[in-house]
Structures are given as C-alpha cells and as structure tokens.
C-alpha cells in the first residue's frame, strides 16, 4: 500500500506545479500555491521562491485510494542533477513530466538516463496540453526516438491548445470532461463522435504493446477474443513494473486537468516496495553478498540519501528503509563508518515541515534527528546483523571559485558554513589551496555556486569576497622519461638517506595513476616501497606547468639504494617525490582541459548565429538534428569557454533557445590557454 515516487523532468516542464496539485487533491494541503508567486509548499527555500526554480529535492507524503504515496519533487536544472541522482537511487517509481510543446528536452534525456541506470519503472505525463503548439503524438514520438523508450498512450486528449477540455481513458473507453477552470474533478461523458476512430486505433496499439509482454493476452488477441479492461490493467501494471512499457497520460496541471487520473495511475501501475527486487548488499564483516526483503522478516537496513542542516532541530538525515523497522530512541549501526549511533527522533517530512513518528517501517522514506556522523550514501542497519548497501555515486564538480571572508571575525563562521553545506551537498567540494592561500569551492556550474554563495550570506550571515570562477584543469605527460631522486642529509646523530630510480610513461585518458615495483635484489627494502608510492603521489598533486594535479601516468620504481642506519619511510617518501618531479619535467608535460558534452536546442532561424558563436568558443560540432523547426546542436566544448554562455545564447535567440551540458572528458589544451 506504499508508493515511493519522484517527479523528474527538464526545467520548466511543470514538476512543482504537478506536485502541488497532487498534494491538494490528496488532501495534504488546502491551498494551491503557484511557482510564479513563490507560494508553493515544495519550493520552500527563499532562493527557490525568488527564482521560480527547484533547487533541492523536497520530500512529502500523501494518501490516495487508501495508499500512502511518498513523493520527491526533484530539480530540473543540470547544476542540481545530483539531487535527481540521489532521489532515483532510493525511489521505486518515477513520473517523467514532458512539456507538450517542447517534447523531449536536453535535461529530460539526463533524468531518463539516470532512471535507466537505477532501473526505475516510470509513467509519462505530457503536461501543458493547453499551450499553443501542444502536440500529444509528437511528444510520444520524441520519447521513442530520443529516449529509446517504449511509451504507450493510455489516454487521448480531447482537443488541444485552448480547446483542451478533457481526456479519453483508452483502457475503460470512457471520456472525462473538465467543465470549469477550478480544481473540480472531471465529469464522465460520451466519447466525442469525431474521436471514435482514433480512440479505436490507439486502443488497438495499447493492446498490441501489452500483448507483447503477456502471453495470455497475446493468445486472446490472436484468437480475436474480447480483452477486458481489468485484464489490460493487470498486464499493463506488470509491464510497467518490469520496465517493459511506459504508460503515457496527459493534462494541464496549471488548470488542474489530468491530475486525478495521474494519481490513479501512480497507485495502479507504479510498483510498491514489494514489487521491486529486494535490496542487495554485503555483510559488514565478511563482504558476503546478501539481500534484504521489505517487510518485518529481515533485520533493519536503510540507505541515507540526503543530509540537511535544519536551523531549528539540527542535523536531519533522510533515509529510505529497505527492510525491518526502527524506533525513535533506538541504536543503529552505521555500516559505512563502523560506528554505533543513536536515533533521537524520527520525522516524516512535508517539504520543510516535520511530523514526529514513533517508528519507521520498511518501504518508508523518513528523516532522523541525532545521527551525528551519517552522510549521504551511508548504510544504517541493525547492530546484530550489519549490512552495507550499494552507495550513491555523484559526478565530480567541474567549476571552482575562490571564497574568502571580508573580515577576520568571519573566518570561523565561513569555515563552519562551508562544512555544513558540503555535508548536505555531495557535489560541493571545499578545499584550501596552500600555494594561493585561498579557500576553493567547487561545484556543478555557475548557478550551483551562485546559490551556495547566496545561502552562506542569508542562512549563515557571512559576507564573503568571491573570486573569478576557475576551471579544474589537469596536467599529464606526453612521453616516457627516467629520473632519480636522492635525499642525503647529515645532521648530528642519524641522518636521512634515500635514493630511487623511477621511470614514468603516459597512460590513456581517464586511467588515473598506476604504480609498479620492479626493484630486484632488495635494493630498496620492501617496507619502504609504499612510502615511495606515496611520495610520487605527493608530487602529482601539483604539476610543473600551472600547479594543477598530474593524471594518467604510470610510475615504475626500477632501482634505488638504502642505508642501513639512515634510511626511513619519510626519506624514501621525499626521494620518491623528488624523483617524480624530475621525471615529469623531462616527460613533455601537457595541460588538459575539461571538455563538456553540450546540447543546444534552438529554433531553426537562429542556428547560424549559434554555430558561429560555438565556433568562436572552440567547439567541436558532433551533429545537428532537426525536429520540425527545432534544431538540436550537439558539440564538445571546453568548459573554460562556457562562462557567460547562457546570457550570450539568450541574446542571440531572443531567449528561445535552451542548453544543457555535462562533463565528457579531459583533452589536451592548446598553447596559450589562460588558466587563471
């Protein structure tokens, strides 16, 4: 009787508006908020209300048809893709929302790929059917072509654009009409005569697709027998849960249309925790694989997917319970850190509001107060049978800025704010650069870092100076080289002596660092070999060109000398570092720049301007696809050339184009690239 679902989509497809209507019709809220007015219950942060976008995934619970629906409303902006990633990891089903005019948009593809990665069953909701240019079938075609999905319409819109007045339920062969602009439920009526042929065609297509996944229906279909609505519904649910089919519904959430059937479809077709495969993990001590089934039979196991610093009750740790149950005040074991922790209080969340509960059962999504050391991706479980569930992986940050306090008094406050924010957001990295004497904050893009700076100012009352965004360049080598590192220091008493001979060679992109020991005859004692490896890694932290980390090389220790009395681990670590630096300098060091996979969706009339601008930014155009008047440009482009691109693109296209990008690879940068 539980559904754990998330609303996922491209920015501005209407996720928060749909969520708001769902909560209203389910009786969770009593006043419908608007994104434009900044009054929605799910967008509760000040920055979300000002900008009209979702920044952080908000969790809530509502009831529909005696089922408990746990909902997560996720952001659509590419800078906050980690919020979608962590939500999909713990959800059982998803509702993918599409704009009926724009169809599949760049970020729709990203969230669809993320849902594929975690094998999340989904239904599609084609929103904004009342907008000029809305086209139901074109959107379904774009889901098939661009997302390689298997969508099947279970509704047909009655009219479109300003004439959109309801929908036909293809399974039950009933028409529903909305007679007012208000939030009243639809009224059943006869199917319009001019739609009878298309209803028959679409229903035939629906039965064909369901028959492909169900042998009994296939047999009835081939023998020409009547297939009942109940049989179609049962088979469709099974096909949806197994990810074979994605049912498609339509509506206009802003005008309250299509939300009642959507709620019915969530309950009818998306899986309960019992329908999805049980959680798999490893036993804490032995590493042996084990499964945890929903229900009371197995011991408690849950995955932490989010941490929030709440100003009123402290650290809130969101988790999804996969098996067993946990009571407030009980002790749990953090299988990731190896520590016992006490659950102070348990709360069910409604955006930023909390309802205290005495116990949380398997299949539920809740938050705990009192878990001081748990972070995103940790497993909390029963101390008698601890288990480690698969963690959550996040993309690496691609953009950095320097941040420093305006006054010395703000120094500690800034450090505290950054630590808390980095604890909440796994894609925010904070580091201190000794050479520059700067605190460096790295994130997923300009908007992401802008929001973090705004939160530091508002929530933590710290004013800071912000430096120009810096790109995370890397260095590598272009050819093999050989060098030695020798440390000879004689002071009173024991001296320091170490001598190593190293060979380095380049590896392919993305291979990282490989160390090999080829010393023969004990020239370097075995206990000092790990110290040499550590010393080499110390040297890789800052390359000779611009001080960026050195990547993608193999270092081989081929020879060396040790002294019985004066050699030590620290001596060999220093010698390894000296040898690596000398070898890298000889090995034709090169600068690597992060290259992004960029997609620009633009009206055809602006294509020439977009391509000319991308050419100036050193873009490598991979392809141009046309869909009617809309052109989709795919290119690889250096991240350093993308600062301010959003503003340029909007001015070139009268604000009608959209773009999204994600990290692709590191590639060699041309001579003269400014890394400052």
């Amino acid at each position: 009787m539980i559904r754990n679902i998330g609303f996922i989509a491209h920015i501005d497809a209407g996720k928060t508006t749909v969520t708001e209507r769902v909560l209203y019709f389910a009786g969770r809220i009593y006043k419908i908020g608007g994104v434009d007015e900044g009054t929605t219950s799910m967008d509760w942060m000040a920055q979300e209300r000002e900008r009209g976008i979702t920044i952080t995934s908000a969790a809530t619970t509502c009831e529909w048809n005696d089922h408990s629906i746990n909902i997560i409303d996720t952001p659509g902006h590419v800078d906050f893709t980690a919020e979608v990633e962590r939500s999909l990891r713990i959800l059982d089903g998803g509702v993918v929302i599409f704009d009926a005019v724009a169809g599949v948009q760049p970020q729709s593809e990203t969230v669809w790929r993320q849902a594929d990665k975690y094998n999340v069953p989904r239904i599609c909701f084609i929103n904004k059917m009342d907008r000029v240019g809305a086209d139901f079938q074109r959107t379904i075609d774009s889901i098939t072509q661009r997302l390689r999905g298997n969508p099947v319409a279970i509704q047909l819109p009655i009219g479109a654009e300003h004439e959109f007045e309801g929908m036909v339920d293809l399974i039950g062969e009933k028409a529903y009409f909305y007679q007012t602009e208000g939030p009243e439920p639809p009224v059943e009526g006869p199917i319009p005569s001019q739609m009878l042929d298309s209803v028959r065609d679409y229903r035939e297509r629906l039965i064909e697709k369901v028959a492909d996944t169900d042998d009994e229906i296939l047999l009835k279909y081939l023998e020409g027998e009547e297939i009942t609505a109940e049989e179609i519904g049962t088979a469709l649910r099974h096909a949806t849960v197994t990810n074979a089919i994605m049912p498609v519904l339509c509506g206009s959430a802003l005008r309250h249309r299509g939300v009642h059937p959507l709620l019915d479809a969530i309950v009818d077709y998306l899986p309960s925790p019992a329908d999805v495969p049980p959680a798999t993990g490893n036993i804490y001590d032995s590493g042996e694989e084990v499964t945890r089934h929903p229900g009371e039979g197995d011991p408690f196991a849950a995955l932490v997917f989010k941490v929030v610093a709440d100003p009123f009750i402290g650290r809130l740790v969101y988790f999804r319970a996969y098996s067993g149950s946990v009571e407030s005040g009980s002790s749990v074991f953090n299988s990731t850190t190896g520590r016992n922790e006490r659950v102070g209080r348990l709360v069910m969340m409604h955006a930023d509001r909390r309802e205290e509960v005495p116990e949380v059962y398997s299949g539920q999504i809740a938050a705990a107060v009192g878990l001081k050391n748990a972070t995103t991706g940790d497993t909390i479980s029963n101390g008698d049978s601890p288990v480690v569930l698969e963690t959550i992986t996040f993309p690496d940050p691609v953009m950095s800025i320097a941040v420093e306090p305006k006054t010395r008094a703000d120094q500690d406050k800034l450090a505290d704010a950054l630590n808390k924010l980095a604890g909440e957001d796994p894609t925010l990295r904070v580091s201190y650069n000794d050479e520059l004497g700067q605190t460096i904050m790295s994130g997923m893009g300009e908007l992401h870092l802008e929001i973090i700076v705004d939160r530091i100012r508002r929530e933590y009352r710290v004013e800071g100076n912000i430096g120009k965004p810096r790109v995370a360049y890397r260095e590598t080598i272009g050819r093999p080289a050989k060098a030695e590192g020798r440390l000879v220091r004689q002071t009173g008493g024991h001296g320091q002596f170490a001598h190593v001979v190293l060979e380095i060679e380049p590896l392919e992109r993305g291979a990282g660092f490989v160390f090999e020991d080829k010393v023969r005859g004990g020239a370097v004692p075995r206990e000092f070999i790990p110290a040499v490896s550590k010393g080499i890694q110390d040297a890789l932290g800052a390359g000779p060109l611009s001080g960026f980390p050195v990547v993608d090389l193999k270092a081989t220790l081929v020879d060396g000398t040790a002294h019985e009395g004066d050699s030590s681990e620290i001596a060999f670590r220093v010698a390894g570092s000296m040898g690596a630096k000398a070898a890298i300098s000889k090995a034709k060091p090169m600068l690597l720049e992060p290259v992004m996979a960029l997609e620009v969706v633009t009206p055809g009339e602006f294509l020439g301007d977009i391509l000319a601008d991308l050419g100036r930014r050193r873009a490598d155009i991979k392809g141009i696809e046309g869909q009617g008047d809309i052109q989709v440009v795919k290119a690889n482009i250096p991240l350093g050339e993308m600062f301010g691109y959003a503003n340029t693109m909007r001015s070139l296209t009268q604000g009608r184009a959209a773009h999204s990008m994600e990290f692709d690879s590191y590639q060699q940068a041309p001579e003269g690239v400014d890394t400052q």
Side-chain angles (χ1 to χ4, degrees), residues 401-457:
I401 58 173
V403 56
E404 55 189 35
K406 281 193 174 171
T407 65
R408 191 169 286 280
D410 280 343
Q411 183 85 43
D412 291 341
K413 283 164 69 179
L414 177 66
D416 180 54
L418 288 172
N419 282 337
K420 283 181 177 169
L421 289 167
E424 287 183 27
D425 186 346
T427 56
L428 174 67
R429 307 274 168 84
V430 179
S431 59
Y432 186 76
N433 188 313
D434 288 323
E435 293 176 36
L436 300 172
Q438 283 183 321
T439 300
I440 304 295
M441 195 166 73
S442 306
M444 300 306 294
E446 282 178 281
L447 181 61
H448 182 204
L449 293 172
E450 197 181 307
I451 297 290
I452 294 293
V453 170
D454 194 38
R455 289 188 64 191
I456 291 171
R457 185 169 52 80

Side-chain angles (χ1 to χ4, degrees), residues 282-420:
N282 302 95
I283 294 173
Y284 175 66
D285 293 327
S286 65
E288 184 186 331
E289 190 167 297
V290 67
T291 56
R292 286 282 187 262
H293 297 80
E296 295 301 298
D298 286 356
F300 174 67
L303 185 74
V304 173
F305 68 96
K306 186 170 176 169
V307 178
V308 175
D310 189 286
F312 301 107
I313 62 170
R315 205 164 180 268
L316 264 179
V317 175
Y318 287 69
F319 64 91
R320 154 76 193 265
Y322 282 97
S323 62
S325 62
V326 63
E327 295 178 4
S328 58
S330 61
S331 176
V332 293
F333 183 71
N334 186 327
S335 320
T336 311
T337 62
R339 293 182 181 183
N340 280 306
E341 298 202 51
R342 185 175 168 279
V343 177
R345 282 189 284 161
L346 292 168
V347 291
M348 302 297 279
M349 299 300 297
H350 174 55
D352 61 334
R353 296 199 294 282
R354 301 164 295 279
E355 286 173 19
E356 204 160 321
V357 292
E359 191 169 5
V360 171
Y361 301 93
S362 69
Q364 290 188 307
I365 293 171
V369 183
L371 300 178
K372 293 187 173 61
N373 300 305
T375 57
T376 301
D378 286 1
T379 303
I380 51 175
S381 58
N382 186 307
D384 296 331
S385 53
V387 63
V388 183
L389 301 173
E390 183 193 344
T391 187
I392 311 172
T393 54
F394 294 101
D396 288 328
V398 293
M399 188 177 288
S400 304
I401 58 173
V403 56
E404 55 189 35
K406 281 193 174 171
T407 65
R408 191 169 286 280
D410 280 343
Q411 183 85 43
D412 291 341
K413 283 164 69 179
L414 177 66
D416 180 54
L418 288 172
N419 282 337
K420 283 181 177 169

